[in-house]
Amino acid sequence: MKHVGVIDIGSNSMRLVLIEIGKKNYFRIIDEVKETVRLGMDMTIDGKLNPQRMEKAISTLASFKSLCEGLGACNIFPVATEAVRRASNQKEFLHIVKSTLNMEIRVLTGAEEAYYDYFGVINSLDFSNGLIMDIGGSSTELIWVKDKTKKEAISLPFGALNISDQFNLAEKMDSNTEKDLNKYLMVQFKKVTWLEEVKNLPLIGVGGTIRNIGKISRKTINYPIDRSHNYQMDSSEVLNIYDSIKYKNSEQRRKVKGLSKERSDIFIGAFSVAAALMKFCDNPRLIVSGGGLREGLIYEILRGEKVIKDVLEVSLNNIIKTLNIDKDHAHHVWELAESLYTQLKPLHKINGNSCKILKTAAMLNDCGKTINFYNYHKHNFYMLTNFPINGLSHKELIMAAYTMMLSVKENFDIDNSPYVTLLTEEDKYVIQRLGIILRLAECFDRKRNGNITKVECKLKSDQLFLRLFSKGTTETEQKEVESRGAYFTKVFGKTLQFE
């Protein structure tokens, strides 16, 4: 077991993420600390970092270092972005940090910052093509992703702090200022020639401003999930939120539900960048990414430059390893469930591919038992809806949680459950049938030893015949399946028989 601390010295805030790394590079975040330092604010005319803000930054780094040292051996990776990158007294700042804290700060180039944004996003979201945007305090990174590969990237020298300062947006923005700001941004975007080639792609947003936009949206519609990662909004909703806030003064902004009070003075400037880019590129929707620069650094530490091909698979296995779940049993249940799902398509008649939902439910169906066996299905539900699972939409995550619940409690009432507003009647239909398939798969590995190696299904009239291939006797597994036979017949109209 080893510990790693990643420190992100941004222009607006400084963050420490502490992770624990186990065998085969499974990891979990064990602490995260943020301090609003605004190192990129109040720089002198000749481009020097403000002495008071430097002092606060060094004090914050000392605090972060003490947290890392509290874990014993801990490798610390501090990186700095635009404010330090362009500071004329950069060397002085780095020297003070080195001499007082014995800490070597790596100052990222704009290209490196964009790369780590890309690497954090591509390894935590399931997508192939899109435009990534990270609005920082003093810079904005844009990355064009095509077929999961970083095709183009650029770091633009404006962000929440300097845009707000340049156009005096801290207190209020009026229509004339908005026109000037929009004109300025359009000129900047037109300089990036490759942006003309990324029209109509989803915009994937990184950073505090984007998370705040998502939180405002969730508060507005009473969204039942308190999760920012992979939250999605149509462009019309994003622009409507922007229009409803853009002319508010600083006091009015502080009252907006979902908007961080410490970000309220720089929020409009940063939001203007996002809104202008969405219009410029005709992005149909905005996807909030919880992964960015810090996560990109973490994935590089864990995997080098290798991009994760199956984000969901890696995420599920990471949870299995972290919780010390029986990996062999989890994978075998999924193999059996996948086989049943495929063979029973004429029976379940599920449109589309729900395998990601079934896979998640199958591989994590023991997670609640790590808390307590009794009522483990309730622990399952809570844990699944709160786990940092990558590769699933919010709806798919909730459907997986309900699938796990129905695999144990056949009479569970979805209509009186907390997340039902996210589901359609078709979704409920799918969940019910996936729950039965998962229950059968669990029954077939009741001994948890891989005894049943294969199941063949044959539909004949009003019966479903099951042929079991095994390493030993199958009485235990057959008995378990028979106990579920009445419910199977109720849902599918077929009786279960063994060949």
Side-chain angles (χ1 to χ4, degrees):
M1 195 76 67
K2 60 182 179 179
H3 295 101
V4 167
V6 173
I7 298 175
D8 175 7
I9 305 168
S11 302
N12 181 51
S13 62
M14 293 172 57
R15 287 180 183 266
L16 163 68
V17 178
L18 279 167
I19 64 171
E20 181 181 81
I21 304 175
K23 293 180 180 178
K24 297 185 179 179
N25 279 349
Y26 85 75
F27 77 98
R28 65 187 182 101
I29 294 175
I30 57 175
D31 205 351
E32 185 174 39
V33 187
K34 173 191 172 186
E35 185 70 33
T36 301
V37 176
R38 297 199 166 172
L39 195 56
M41 187 176 277
D42 306 324
M43 296 180 77
T44 63
I45 295 176
D46 56 350
K48 291 183 178 180
L49 296 170
N50 180 283
Q52 285 75 35
R53 297 197 181 277
M54 284 175 59
E55 185 177 341
K56 185 174 182 181
I58 293 167
S59 173
T60 301
L61 285 172
S63 174
F64 286 177
K65 184 179 180 182
S66 67
L67 286 170
C68 294
E69 291 174 340
L71 296 171
C74 181
N75 293 323
I76 304 175
F77 296 84
V79 298
T81 55
E82 178 67 13
V84 178
R85 184 162 61 229
R86 64 185 170 90
S88 59
N89 60 340
Q90 177 194 118
K91 291 183 179 180
E92 176 190 348
F93 174 67
L94 298 180
H95 174 73
I96 295 173
V97 173
K98 173 64 176 176
S99 61
T100 58
L101 300 176
N102 193 29
M103 185 183 290
E104 296 271 6
I105 294 176
R106 176 186 172 192
V107 181
L108 300 179
T109 66
E112 288 173 329
E113 186 175 356
Y115 169 78
Y116 285 119
D117 279 330
Y118 154 75
F119 208 59
V121 173
I122 199 65
N123 287 316
S124 59
L125 284 174
D126 183 15
F127 77 105
S128 296
N129 302 291
L131 175 64
I132 299 172
M133 170 184 61
D134 180 5
I135 307 174
S138 298
S139 67
T140 296
E141 281 65 51
L142 301 177
I143 306 100
W144 176 13
V145 179
K146 186 174 183 180
D147 298 326
K148 284 188 171 291
T149 302
K150 179 176 69 68
K151 185 172 176 63
E152 297 282 357
I154 190 169
S155 180
L156 302 172
F158 56 82
L161 291 176
N162 46 13
I163 281 283
S164 298
D165 183 55
Q166 182 179 344
F167 290 90
N168 299 310
L169 302 175
E171 288 300 319
K172 191 176 182 181
M173 180 171 73
D174 57 30
S175 59
N176 290 328
T177 303
E178 182 188 14
K179 289 178 182 177
D180 292 340
L181 173 56
N182 192 63
K183 182 178 178 181
Y184 168 79
L185 292 172
M186 289 300 157
V187 169
Q188 301 306 312
F189 293 148
K190 286 177 182 177
K191 292 178 183 178
V192 185
T193 55
W194 53 264
L195 278 180
E196 292 294 334
E197 300 181 61
V198 297
K199 302 287 186 179
N200 297 308
L201 288 179
L203 181 63
I204 302 160
V206 175
T209 295
I210 302 299
R211 289 192 296 272
N212 267 217
I213 294 171
K215 192 170 184 179
I216 292 169
S217 169
R218 298 199 304 276
K219 292 287 185 182
T220 301
I221 64 175
N222 293 316
Y223 194 70
I225 305 175
D226 186 20
R227 180 190 294 257
S228 62
H229 185 62
N230 209 9
Y231 181 68
Q232 303 189 17
M233 295 165 279
D234 289 339
S235 59
S236 58
E237 181 186 359
V238 176
L239 297 177
N240 285 338
I241 293 173
Y242 175 67
D243 288 339
S244 71
I245 297 177
K246 63 183 180 182
Y247 294 151
K248 290 183 183 296
N249 60 37
S250 58
E251 186 62 30
Q252 291 171 326
R253 291 178 208 164
R254 288 175 174 270
K255 297 177 182 178
V256 175
K257 291 182 179 180
L259 176 55
S260 168
K261 290 181 173 58
E262 66 181 22
R263 189 177 289 274
S264 61
D265 60 332
I266 60 172
F267 181 67
I268 292 302
F271 201 165
S272 296
V273 176
L277 184 65
M278 292 197 80
K279 292 177 182 177
F280 187 84
C281 293
D282 295 323
N283 304 116
R285 66 186 183 279
L286 173 65
I287 302 172
V288 181
S289 174
L293 184 148
R294 293 178 295 279
E295 290 71 22
L297 285 161
I298 291 170
Y299 283 117
E300 182 183 64
I301 292 166
L302 295 171
R303 303 177 59 85
E305 297 182 357
K306 187 178 179 181
V307 172
I308 295 172
K309 292 182 179 180
D310 189 334
V311 172
L312 177 61
E313 174 80 12
V314 170
S315 186
L316 294 177
N317 280 318
N318 192 69
I319 292 171
I320 287 171
K321 293 171 185 174
T322 302
L323 296 181
N324 199 28
I325 293 172
D326 184 342
K327 180 181 178 181
D328 291 338
H329 173 65
H331 279 270
H332 192 53
V333 169
W334 160 233
E335 289 170 4
L336 293 168
E338 183 182 29
S339 175
L340 290 170
Y341 178 87
T342 301
Q343 293 183 70
L344 297 180
K345 279 185 178 181
L347 198 58
H348 63 62
K349 299 177 182 178
I350 294 174
N351 294 321
N353 189 346
S354 298
C355 276
K356 288 204 300 184
I357 298 168
L358 182 58
K359 180 176 186 176
T360 302
M363 290 181 65
L364 297 185
N365 204 27
D366 274 354
C367 66
K369 296 176 184 177
T370 62
I371 296 178
N372 196 323
F373 173 79
Y374 299 104
N375 289 319
Y376 76 88
H377 58 286
K378 295 180 180 179
H379 303 314
N380 274 352
F381 191 87
Y382 173 81
M383 293 173 77
L384 196 64
T385 54
N386 287 275
F387 270 142
I389 299 175
N390 297 326
L392 292 179
S393 69
H394 287 192
K395 177 186 278 194
E396 289 170 334
L397 186 65
I398 294 304
M399 290 178 72
Y402 282 130
T403 296
M404 292 164 73
M405 182 67 81
L406 283 174
S407 74
V408 179
K409 291 290 183 181
E410 297 167 352
N411 60 350
F412 178 72
D413 187 1
I414 293 180
D415 289 326
N416 289 319
S417 54
Y419 305 107
V420 68
T421 55
L422 296 179
L423 306 177
T424 65
E425 290 302 314
E426 183 178 353
D427 295 331
K428 297 175 194 175
Y429 172 95
V430 170
I431 292 165
Q432 184 185 51
R433 281 145 184 81
L434 293 183
I436 296 174
I437 291 171
L438 176 56
R439 182 67 259 168
L440 291 178
E442 285 280 1
C443 290
F444 288 133
D445 199 38
R446 184 65 178 86
K447 296 175 186 174
R448 306 176 72 89
N449 63 355
N451 180 47
I452 303 298
T453 58
K454 181 182 176 182
V455 180
E456 284 187 354
C457 304
K458 292 182 181 179
L459 283 170
K460 294 181 181 179
S461 184
D462 59 350
Q463 294 178 312
L464 175 65
F465 287 89
L466 301 172
R467 184 182 179 190
L468 306 183
F469 296 80
S470 66
K471 300 174 183 177
T473 61
T474 63
E475 288 85 353
T476 299
E477 292 87 355
Q478 289 191 42
K479 185 177 179 180
E480 287 289 320
V481 171
E482 287 167 353
S483 70
R484 301 287 169 170
Y487 186 61
F488 184 91
T489 302
K490 177 182 176 182
V491 174
F492 289 114
K494 305 284 184 182
T495 57
L496 290 172
Q497 299 290 334
F498 288 98
E499 286 190 343

